[in-house]
Amino acid sequence: MSVERSEEAAQARDTSGPLAPGGVELLISTLLRSGVVLSVALIGVGVTLSFFHNPERLTSRVDLTPLLSPEHGPSSLEAVLVLAREVRGQAFVMMGLLVMMAVPVLRVLIAFFSFRQQRDRAFVRMTSVVLTLLALSILLGRATD
Amino acid sequence: MTPFTFTALLFGLSLGAGALGAVLGIGGGLLLVPLLTLGFGVDIRFAVGASIVSVIATSSGAAAAYVRDRLANLRVAMFLEVGTAAGALTGALLATSLHGRWLFLLFGAVLAWSALAMLRRLGGGVEEPPAPDALADRLGLHGSYYDVAEQCEVPYRVTGTRAGLALMYVAGTVSGMLGIGAGALKVPALDLAMRLPVKVSTATSNFMIGVTAAASAGVYFARGDINPFIAGPVCAGATVGAMAGTRLLGRLHSRTVRALFVGVLLWVAIQMLRKGW
């Protein structure tokens, strides 16, 4: 059983492993595709849920202003998770948006590991510089607010 | 307007913005922000927040196909991202100390100039081969792609790596300060300085704009500027539109892509100059 499983794992590595020629491309393409599909699916579920909970929003001209107001959106991970537990539509939409925002950063991270595995020193250095700069600008943005 | 109509309209419009963005390598924030604020009365904060998400959505949705089809040059993108990321950080640091008005004027003038320069290349004629570039050789940046419209493999050599990196730094700084216009500067830099084929330029720019936008998106989220009621349909629409748009880029002729890009670039330049005036 365990032998079979490790063989399966080895096969999976062979087909999608970053060592294969063109492997980085395939890996990144797969990450991007699954990331955006997951994000759009979460948004779809969230939008459907929020119309299911508020059916009057489908047909009647309710005031849009409160929906467009500053207090509408959760702005921390905790807030999103709390709302998700109550199966609130906007929490799922927010999760979808967060997945979308994380995809490009994950993409640099994956490239970094792939280049390291390929011992492509110049590109390992470049991707690590990009990751550091990304972290710095996010931290800086937080600090100045 | 019912909330449902609002959602559906935003989705539909973002679909178009995503498709156009995927073909031209720009995020489409310059189209979406005025549309949301003027057309739907959305607060500018949420409009910018939604447009930053749409840039990421366009980038990732399009790049999934471009990377697989080797239309986006991964190595060129990773190399240049050092410049854009450094620029974005500089832009964030400078943002408070420089007046936006001069930036808009400067940015508008630069875009108008690049549009005209790209237009000159549209005229065609035989171009001299790109000058050899030692850094491009060492990093293995050269590539080739299969052009569906011409039905042939198109090999190309990359040049002007240092100039390209410098221009990306400038592009990153500008987008870090203004929060917009990252792609509009990246495509001309790839096209004019590094001499990539125009389809490779827009596909590679598409791939890169997501990273710069992701750095700002985290900040917008923490500030509470990402409103799911607005950003949700925009994000989903831009993604689906971008995925559809990638099928278009392969089939379009390079001349058409270039002409389309020059047109949009001129329009953006005029908008920028008007803002700064």
Side-chain angles (χ1 to χ4, degrees), chain B residues 204-266:
Chain B
T204 306
S205 165
N206 240 312
F207 181 73
M208 293 171 59
I209 52 179
V211 174
T212 324
S216 346
V219 178
Y220 285 107
F221 171 66
R223 255 194 241 156
D225 289 0
I226 312 276
N227 181 328
F229 182 65
I230 302 155
V234 167
C235 177
T239 310
V240 178
M243 287 174 125
T246 57
R247 288 161 192 269
L248 210 64
L249 180 64
R251 290 192 199 131
L252 289 173
H253 285 279
S254 294
R255 280 181 62 91
T256 320
V257 177
R258 186 180 292 274
L260 206 61
F261 185 84
V262 168
V264 171
L265 203 58
L266 276 177

Side-chain angles (χ1 to χ4, degrees), chain A:
Chain A
M1 185 66 189
S2 65
V3 175
E4 265 176 41
R5 207 176 276 163
S6 66
E7 267 176 10
E8 269 173 31
Q11 272 175 359
R13 264 203 302 279
D14 279 345
T15 49
S16 65
L19 275 177
V24 187
E25 278 87 353
L26 195 67
L27 205 65
I28 287 180
S29 170
T30 312
L31 166 84
L32 292 174
R33 192 179 309 277
S34 28
V36 298
V37 167
L38 176 66
S39 163
V40 172
L42 281 167
I43 293 171
V45 168
V47 170
T48 315
L49 266 177
S50 60
F51 282 118
F52 182 75
H53 286 310
N54 308 282
E56 78 283 354
R57 288 190 190 167
L58 276 174
T59 47
S60 58
R61 293 159 184 267
V62 293
D63 189 11
L64 282 177
T65 330
L67 290 170
L68 304 179
S69 78
E71 283 76 34
H72 191 62
S75 61
S76 69
L77 275 178
E78 295 80 32
V80 174
L81 291 174
V82 167
L83 287 172
R85 226 172 290 146
E86 299 168 17
V87 206
R88 290 272 292 277
Q90 51 161 274
F92 287 91
V93 176
M94 214 60 204
M95 280 197 278
L97 296 173
L98 288 173
V99 168
M100 190 59 90
M101 294 177 205
V103 166
V105 183
L106 279 179
R107 189 269 268 167
V108 183
L109 207 63
I110 282 196
F112 168 75
F113 284 116
S114 307
F115 286 130
R116 209 174 62 167
Q117 207 170 345
Q118 292 175 341
R119 295 175 203 285
D120 197 332
R121 285 232 198 101
F123 276 88
V124 169
R125 229 170 307 153
M126 283 182 227
T127 40
S128 51
V129 167
V130 172
L131 282 171
T132 315
L133 290 170
L134 277 179
L136 275 177
S137 37
I138 290 173
L139 285 176
L140 183 87
R142 293 251 160 111
T144 49
D145 276 325

Side-chain angles (χ1 to χ4, degrees), chain B residues 17-191:
Chain B
L20 192 70
V23 170
L24 300 182
I26 55 173
L30 285 159
L31 307 169
L32 265 178
V33 173
L35 206 73
L36 288 172
T37 49
L38 302 175
F40 293 94
V42 170
D43 189 280
I44 180 78
R45 273 177 55 201
F46 300 133
V48 172
S51 103
I52 231 50
V53 178
S54 92
V55 172
I56 303 175
T58 306
S59 168
S60 299
Y66 290 155
V67 169
R68 190 200 51 211
D69 300 342
R70 289 179 300 122
L71 215 49
N73 188 321
L74 212 72
R75 295 178 81 83
V76 167
M78 300 270 175
F79 166 69
L80 294 176
E81 268 164 16
V82 176
T84 53
L89 188 61
T90 315
L93 285 168
L94 287 176
T96 42
S97 63
L98 238 157
H99 207 294
R101 198 184 147 188
W102 293 106
L103 264 177
F104 279 116
L105 282 179
L106 187 70
F107 188 34
V110 170
L111 287 185
W113 178 83
S114 8
L116 295 177
M118 283 185 74
L119 194 65
R120 255 205 315 268
R121 277 190 75 181
L122 186 67
V126 183
E127 292 194 344
E128 71 261 46
D133 187 297
L135 190 59
D137 294 341
R138 199 159 62 83
L139 296 175
L141 299 184
H142 311 298
S144 75
Y145 74 100
Y146 183 77
D147 196 310
V148 180
E150 314 291 345
Q151 295 188 334
C152 63
E153 186 78 17
V154 181
Y156 57 90
R157 297 188 66 77
V158 178
T159 184
T161 43
R162 285 193 174 79
L165 192 64
L167 285 171
M168 289 303 156
Y169 176 73
V170 175
T173 309
V174 169
S175 63
M177 294 174 86
L178 299 180
I180 37 171
L185 274 175
K186 284 183 179 120
V187 177
L190 291 166
D191 184 81

